Amino acid sequence: MSWKRSFGHKQIEDTMTIDTTNMCSHLQKKLFEEDGIYHPLWLAMQDDAELTAVVRSRQLHIYRNGKKVLVLAGKAAPKIIREDKLCDMLQQ
């Protein structure tokens, strides 16, 4: 898996780019490192064209078709906004 890092952006195989400049370092580890608890979510997000994500207040806000479904934080528990198959992955 090749990571491309430039100007605070993480990109994986040209599918989804997230500006990590203001993302919590704990969250970055959980999301981008292969042994991170949220890494399976990150991989699933790459294959789902309906999902978008943006960093706000050091957290990752994830949207499906423009509607927020999940907020991931570095040290706090994930906040499920709306039931979604992505959220189901957290409970496995």
Side-chain angles (χ1 to χ4, degrees), residues 41 44-45 48-52 62-71 79-92:
L41 293 176
M45 290 170 62
D48 197 330
E50 295 177 342
L51 292 174
T52 56
I62 303 169
Y63 299 82
R64 179 175 299 283
N65 297 323
K67 295 181 180 180
K68 189 184 297 186
V69 295
L70 181 64
V71 178
K79 184 176 181 182
I80 296 173
I81 308 297
R82 178 174 281 116
E83 288 300 319
D84 188 85
K85 60 185 173 184
L86 192 65
C87 300
D88 293 341
M89 293 180 70
L90 290 172
Q91 298 167 1
Q92 293 179 357

Side-chain angles (χ1 to χ4, degrees), residues 15-69:
T15 53
M16 182 179 285
T17 303
I18 296 176
D19 183 357
T20 59
T21 306
N22 295 318
M23 183 186 285
C24 171
S25 62
H26 292 94
L27 179 56
Q28 288 184 37
K29 290 176 184 175
K30 289 180 176 181
L31 195 63
F32 300 124
E33 292 183 6
E34 287 187 27
D35 61 343
I37 192 168
Y38 298 145
H39 191 68
L41 293 176
W42 174 248
L43 295 177
M45 290 170 62
Q46 303 311 304
D47 296 329
D48 197 330
E50 295 177 342
L51 292 174
T52 56
V54 65
V55 176
R56 290 198 180 108
S57 302
R58 302 178 53 83
Q59 302 173 336
L60 186 65
H61 295 243
I62 303 169
Y63 299 82
R64 179 175 299 283
N65 297 323
K67 295 181 180 180
K68 189 184 297 186
V69 295

